[in-house]
Amino acid sequence: MIHSGNAITVQMLSDGIAEFRFDLQGESVNKFNRATVEDFAAAIAAVKGNNDIKGLIVTSGKSSFIVGADITEFGDNFAQGEAAIAEWLGPVNNIFSSFEDLDIPKVAAINGIALGGGFELCLVCDYRVMSTAAQVGLPEVKLGIFPGFGGTVRLTRVIGIDNAVEWIATGAQKKPEAALKDGAVDAVVAPEKLQDAAIDLVKQALAGKLDWKAKRQEKLDPVKLNPLEQMMAFNSSKGVILAKANPAQYPAPKLVLDTLQASASMGRDDALKAEAQGFAKAAVTPQAGALIGLFLSDQVVKKISKKHEKNAHPVNMAAVLGAGIMGGGIAYQSAVKGTPIIMKDIGNPQLALGMKEANTLLSKQVERKKLTPAKMGETLARIRPTLSYDEFKDVDIVIEAVTENPKIKEAVLADAEKSVRENTIIASNTSTISITRLANALQRPENFVGMHFFNPVHMMPLVEVIRGAKSSDEAVATTVALAQKMGKTPIVVNDCPGFLVNRVLFPYFGAFDLLLKDGADFQQIDKVMEKFGWPMGPAYLIDVVGIDTGVHGAEVMAEGFPDRMKPSYKGAIEIMYDNKRLGQKNDVGFYKYELDKKGKKAKKVDPASYELIAPMVTGEKRAFDDQEIIDRMMLALCNETVRCLEDNIVATPAEADMAMIMGIGFPPFRGGPCRYIDQTGVAEYVAKCDQYAHLGKAYEAPQMLRDMAANNKKFYG
Ligand SMILES: NC(=O)c1ccc[n+]([C@@H]2O[C@H](COP(=O)([O-])OP(=O)(O)OC[C@H]3O[C@@H](n4cnc5c(N)ncnc54)[C@H](O)[C@@H]3O)[C@@H](O)[C@H]2O)c1
């Protein structure tokens, strides 16, 4: 053994070729954490001191190659400030470059995922062979940063400006064919042939059949284009990339383009310095803080779900009651992810509609060649439409998604319970009815939970799992496990009106109504909130959700939290409802909707809605400053999120933030309500609450925030 560290071993194979193997001890994946970087330096020194090594292959002892840098270490590093971040990268880059500079040919044998720092290591090698099972890429922009271990420098020189900009600025993960086509890897082979193929390339290099020194030199030199050609290449790709990502919301792609443009005419070492400086600029943006935080919160949520695993019962067969919008969607999603499901309704036409929905979604995938007709058939066969409870004794979980009416639901749940086994879990997809209340209709309330999907089921990633007063750990755990199996992210919450997501959303609609009453223009509010980062403004959103659904939800919330969700006036949303304007459902709401050329509903301004709102306006006609709109809307939403933490409806800020991002489209680059409060500064945020407290309880700072401000505490870090 030439080197044996805790991340890397180096040993001689034969013919002077050594294997440089990454296998981080005590971890399931390889990553570039501090320990690996240190061991990397030691392993390079060992190779340097061994004259018998004529060439080497770089391999992984895990099923993935190297998944990237260790994101959990970013917080500490990035907190040091821009200059310190750039400085931190210098020594790491020196290690990577010293590996590149070893005077022997090196070939990366990419067996699995090689992302970020992992792929940057591959780029340091002279050649790259990729298994058909692997994927490569530089996804750092998704975290608000960009590659910092030489990836921008080397990839640009290996695959050219246009391709490199596309790879880096989109952060796309590339399959073998795409990587080979762009020249990012030199060969693609079957997994079992990978090692031999890599050794063969080293041998060819050693035999002089491949000019590996010339190939390496290209990575050390400036990009081979004259300044005019460079400018043209950058300008054309800039247009495409920046049209996709708004730099005010996602600054990293623009920052990386600027860096690439500056470093293209530099040699490697200067280009690496430029990369480090650009990287540091991106790393200190609030967006990077939010997106990295989000990645870590996602890990927290996954860990919490994993903890439930030990209590979960296996689900081999599910059932859904109701074949409507939600029931049909749930059946489709279950079938697609491999769990057979019985779909029960009260009439054949409803069942046919539920099946039609699944059929349409699957046919689209077949058209796009993402699914074979045979697989489509198999998937459809997993949904069994029925009018009876006959086969319910085989079912491990029943998801109730019938009409939102407590009496109907209670009757349906009680019937279902009689038809299933004693240990079958029963879950309700209700959006507004208390789980603890519905449980009263059951003989075995411990087997009962809420399982709140969002519409459309196949698109929306979140499932709220609601623990009622009597729900057992097994019932919660089984529902969490099924949600995961269905490809969703479950977040467990306690029971209260609106559960977590709707409880937080309704004060936001309340703030919208109050702004309109005070004389604000709903189109301005939509524009401001969309510019802030929401996928749609509140007027458009309530039109999409359905004004009737909104009014019904508001009634439930007003009853549950009258101190802050029961307005003393009739709001614009209710006025729309009174005038039978239901939103997209009947093509008139705040806006009116007409089909565009592609057959999609396009929103149009409708003077009629302004006429309806005019009589409710009691405020003086005045212009509303964008920031006032943002503050009033966001305070109502964020305060209620904090109240959910105070009331233990949701256990952690990480889960609350993830739920709002996945459930209602909270702007991801702002990291969620708790992160937004942190980034505003807790004391500054409380001061804003005080400024707007006269508007009502919804705007008053929750005690938790006052305590945090007094103790200089934040939600994160
Ligand atoms: N639509 C949404 O955006 C949304 C989002 C989340 C949750 N939900 C909740 O999901 C549930 C269903 O909503 P939906 O929008 O799919 O409603 P829907 O009206 O589209 O479908 C309800 C279905 O239930 C069927 N049904 C009625 N009584 C039944 C019975 N006794 N047995 C079997 N089926 C019966 C009806 O025939 C209908 O097909 C409601 O609780 C709703 O609050 C809806």
Side-chain angles (χ1 to χ4, degrees), residues 633-702:
M633 296 295 295
M634 294 308 290
L635 292 182
L637 182 148
C638 295
N639 283 349
E640 199 57 38
T641 309
V642 176
R643 292 194 176 99
C644 286
L645 282 164
E646 284 182 333
D647 295 351
N648 195 30
I649 295 305
V650 61
T652 62
E655 289 165 284
D657 280 351
M658 289 293 292
M660 293 311 141
I661 287 170
M662 292 186 299
I664 54 174
F666 192 104
F669 66 91
R670 297 191 187 273
C674 298
R675 177 83 54 188
Y676 178 71
I677 295 171
D678 270 5
Q679 291 197 340
T680 305
V682 181
E684 288 78 0
Y685 180 91
V686 168
K688 276 181 194 273
C689 291
D690 291 342
Q691 186 191 337
Y692 288 107
H694 63 280
L695 296 176
K697 174 98 179 167
Y699 304 84
E700 284 175 20

Side-chain angles (χ1 to χ4, degrees), residues 54-77:
K54 305 293 178 222
L56 57 81
I57 60 167
V58 181
T59 64
S60 158
K62 315 278 191 204
S63 58
S64 53
F65 184 73
I66 300 174
V67 294
D70 186 347
I71 295 165
T72 58
E73 289 179 357
F74 284 4
D76 288 349
N77 285 335

Side-chain angles (χ1 to χ4, degrees), residues 179-373:
L180 185 65
K181 181 172 150 275
D182 287 352
V185 298
D186 303 284
V188 172
V189 296
E192 65 278 8
K193 298 199 172 131
L194 184 65
Q195 177 132 346
D196 287 347
I199 292 172
D200 185 55
L201 272 182
V202 179
K203 284 185 177 162
Q204 287 192 51
L206 289 173
K209 290 186 195 152
L210 293 171
D211 192 352
W212 58 278
K213 290 196 173 175
K215 196 154 194 274
R216 181 183 302 172
Q217 191 59 39
E218 285 178 6
K219 290 190 288 166
L220 308 181
D221 290 340
V223 174
K224 278 199 182 52
L225 283 181
N226 69 38
L228 183 68
E229 289 167 328
Q230 278 189 29
M231 198 177 75
M232 284 168 64
F234 277 114
N235 283 350
S236 66
S237 28
K238 220 175 206 169
V240 178
I241 297 301
L242 298 185
K244 279 190 199 153
N246 175 353
Q249 298 181 346
Y250 293 93
K254 162 94 173 60
L255 285 172
V256 77
L257 278 169
D258 292 346
T259 301
L260 279 176
Q261 196 152 11
S263 65
S265 48
M266 297 175 187
R268 180 192 71 185
D269 294 347
D270 285 339
L272 287 173
K273 284 191 192 121
E275 180 189 87
Q277 277 158 8
F279 177 95
K281 261 200 197 104
V284 294
T285 57
Q287 290 88 344
L291 292 168
I292 291 166
L294 204 58
F295 178 89
L296 297 174
S297 293
D298 185 48
Q299 305 277 309
V300 169
V301 167
K302 286 198 174 110
K303 253 190 209 143
I304 294 171
S305 294
K306 202 164 170 53
K307 273 198 196 145
H308 285 288
E309 259 171 29
K310 62 177 188 314
N311 286 324
H313 303 173
V315 173
N316 298 315
M317 169 76 87
V320 62
L321 300 173
I325 299 174
M326 298 306 286
I330 292 166
Y332 163 84
Q333 190 65 23
S334 178
V336 162
K337 295 292 178 182
T339 305
I341 187 159
I342 299 174
M343 179 168 72
K344 181 186 177 305
D345 208 301
I346 44 176
N348 279 318
Q350 290 92 322
L351 288 174
L353 268 181
M355 289 308 290
K356 189 169 160 232
E357 181 62 13
N359 218 314
T360 310
L361 290 170
L362 290 166
S363 302
K364 274 190 195 146
Q365 291 184 44
V366 172
E367 267 168 40
R368 289 195 208 117
K369 303 232 176 317
K370 293 207 158 151
L371 196 73
T372 61

Side-chain angles (χ1 to χ4, degrees), residues 321-327 344-346 350 389 400-404 408-409 412 429-431 452-455:
L321 300 173
I325 299 174
M326 298 306 286
K344 181 186 177 305
D345 208 301
I346 44 176
Q350 290 92 322
Y389 283 113
E400 171 278 308
V402 304
T403 320
E404 185 75 353
I408 296 181
K409 285 205 192 273
V412 169
N429 182 45
T430 177
S431 5
H452 187 212
F453 287 86
F454 293 76
N455 184 19

Side-chain angles (χ1 to χ4, degrees), residues 64 162 196 212 309 370 442 447 496 526 548 570 635:
S64 53
D162 302 15
D196 287 347
W212 58 278
E309 259 171 29
K370 293 207 158 151
L442 295 171
N447 285 351
C496 71
D526 272 6
D548 51 345
K570 186 176 265 201
L635 292 182

Side-chain angles (χ1 to χ4, degrees), residues 50-122:
N50 188 315
N51 292 330
D52 296 337
I53 302 179
K54 305 293 178 222
L56 57 81
I57 60 167
V58 181
T59 64
S60 158
K62 315 278 191 204
S63 58
S64 53
F65 184 73
I66 300 174
V67 294
D70 186 347
I71 295 165
T72 58
E73 289 179 357
F74 284 4
D76 288 349
N77 285 335
F78 292 4
Q80 315 291 320
E82 199 176 318
I85 298 168
E87 221 162 90
W88 156 67
L89 288 171
V92 182
N93 271 317
N94 288 343
I95 298 170
F96 273 61
S97 294
S98 72
F99 188 63
E100 183 165 53
D101 293 341
L102 286 173
D103 199 18
I104 49 172
K106 298 176 288 297
V107 178
I110 311 168
N111 60 314
I113 295 279
L115 297 176
F119 187 55
E120 289 175 291
L121 173 77
C122 301

